[in-house]
Amino acid sequence: MADLPVADVITLVGDVMRDKHFADRRTAYQERRELLFREAPVRIPGITNLQVQHRTPKLHDDAHAYKNRMLAAPVKISVVAQGEGPKAGTKAQKMENLAYRHYHRWRAMGSYDGALFNMAAFGKGFLHLGLNRDVLPLVPQKADEEDPDAYLDRAKKVMDEFSSGERSDLFIIESPQPDTVFWTPDHAWKFMAADVPLNPLQQAYARVGQAIDVSKEGVVSVTAIEPGTAVDTGTAAFQRTVRLYICESAEYIYHIVFGTHDRKDRPQTGGTVLGCYTNPFGTPCFFDVDGERTGDPRSLQATQALIEPL
């Protein structure tokens, strides 16, 4: 179940991440971070051995001020009924209530804070809508020729656990760092390279019959086990991270994992595919939160920050 062979997906990710405009973006954002968090050394032309290294917090404070102002703005959600009569109106009201519920939950969790801060400070933020990675492997996947009613009957038990509150929310919003999100020129593919904790990944995939192990050298291996087998990860799993690539097209979502031995800017052929899932949203769900748009096709120049250093 994939629209591209896994090897081609890994190659595509590597080719995109090597694009010069993404490399320039990474360098520029790192320099901006040093200014924002007052880590850049003070340099004055013609003066050496400065005894005082004062760095202004103004950039950092201004970015937070923009973020807080936007979070304080009132939000109005309206859902239009798709039809006439009380039944259609009831459905629309339930959908509107659900939208408010998710918005306020994500707002209380701080899910929007990072994207808005990055928009003000870097000119670019992202929100990633997805299914909870901890529970995604638990949701049955529909077979290509399976009858829809039969699939719903098969998935009902798991889906009822979400609606009854037995499990955490199925839908989540994340705010990835802007220089960890990449895309193809036609935006048909978008993906994120993120370091994630090893332990929750091990526990989630053990429930569907995949045991993930990482050696001391950081090499990842995945073996088949009986679904639901308890995995004794030890204390090391709570301290380790792995590089997870979430690759999305309109049709599919791929989870590809790399060990800590590979910290380069492009994945190597040793990546291991943890899962390939049908994309329930029908589009890559990395959404831009832009500052001032310029229309430039290059990622770094396409938007400008709302605040600028002196």
Side-chain angles (χ1 to χ4, degrees):
M1 182 182 68
D3 56 347
L4 277 181
V6 169
D8 290 349
V9 174
I10 295 176
T11 300
L12 175 65
V13 169
D15 290 344
V16 171
M17 294 180 73
R18 286 197 302 273
D19 283 352
K20 184 178 183 300
H21 68 100
F22 283 126
D24 292 342
R25 180 188 68 170
R26 182 175 59 253
T27 301
Y29 282 7
Q30 181 57 37
E31 293 175 352
R32 174 59 70 98
R33 282 194 182 93
E34 291 178 352
L35 290 173
L36 275 169
F37 298 103
R38 293 184 285 174
E39 297 170 347
V42 176
R43 296 187 180 95
I44 301 177
I47 300 178
T48 60
N49 298 322
L50 285 173
Q51 300 299 310
V52 177
Q53 290 278 319
H54 175 71
R55 305 169 183 86
T56 177
K58 183 170 177 53
L59 280 175
H60 188 270
D61 293 346
D62 286 350
H64 275 299
Y66 269 103
K67 176 203 71 177
N68 293 333
R69 190 176 304 127
M70 285 181 278
L71 287 173
V75 171
K76 175 65 175 177
I77 301 174
S78 297
V79 177
V80 178
Q82 299 297 306
E84 298 181 357
K87 189 174 181 180
T90 300
K91 286 184 178 180
Q93 186 60 57
K94 287 182 177 180
M95 183 60 68
E96 185 173 304
N97 294 343
L98 179 65
Y100 272 115
R101 170 190 166 188
H102 278 88
Y103 169 75
H104 288 295
R105 279 194 177 187
W106 294 334
R107 171 73 174 81
M109 293 168 60
S111 300
Y112 304 110
D113 293 41
L116 294 173
F117 180 89
N118 290 330
M119 179 195 70
F122 298 97
K124 192 75 169 181
F126 286 98
L127 287 172
H128 179 223
L129 175 66
L131 301 179
N132 190 334
R133 283 197 297 271
D134 290 341
V135 299
L136 180 57
L138 306 176
V139 180
Q141 296 296 297
K142 182 179 180 298
D144 292 338
E145 303 299 328
E146 186 175 9
D147 179 75
D149 292 334
Y151 167 70
L152 291 174
D153 290 340
R154 184 164 60 88
K156 184 177 186 303
K157 180 180 178 181
V158 172
M159 301 308 293
D160 284 348
E161 293 176 353
F162 294 110
S163 59
S164 66
E166 293 180 41
R167 295 192 183 277
S168 56
D169 284 345
L170 181 59
F171 298 104
I172 59 172
I173 280 282
E174 301 172 302
S175 179
Q177 288 298 313
D179 49 353
T180 66
V181 180
F182 305 83
W183 55 88
T184 56
D186 60 357
H187 289 251
W189 283 83
K190 292 186 178 182
F191 53 90
M192 176 179 69
D195 293 331
V196 301
L198 174 59
N199 182 62
L201 210 60
Q202 286 180 317
Q203 300 298 334
Y205 277 93
R207 292 194 285 269
V208 293
Q210 289 179 291
I212 306 171
D213 187 45
V214 181
S215 69
K216 293 182 179 179
E217 293 76 25
V219 178
V220 175
S221 61
V222 180
T223 56
I225 60 174
E226 187 69 22
T229 301
V231 178
D232 183 11
T233 59
T235 58
F238 293 93
Q239 299 172 303
R240 293 180 182 173
T241 62
V242 291
R243 177 65 59 85
L244 180 67
Y245 287 82
I246 302 175
C247 311
E248 299 186 359
S249 68
E251 292 81 22
Y252 294 103
I253 300 172
Y254 301 80
H255 287 179
I256 306 174
V257 67
F258 294 82
T260 54
H261 69 296
D262 182 15
R263 292 304 194 190
K264 295 182 181 179
D265 295 323
R266 68 181 182 93
Q268 307 300 311
T269 56
T272 301
V273 175
L274 293 178
C276 175
Y277 311 98
T278 301
N279 189 340
F281 304 108
T283 184
C285 287
F286 293 96
F287 299 106
D288 304 80
V289 183
D290 290 341
E292 296 290 342
R293 296 180 180 177
T294 67
D296 195 291
R298 295 167 296 177
S299 59
L300 179 60
Q301 290 80 12
T303 57
Q304 291 184 335
L306 301 181
I307 58 174
E308 292 294 342
L310 295 176

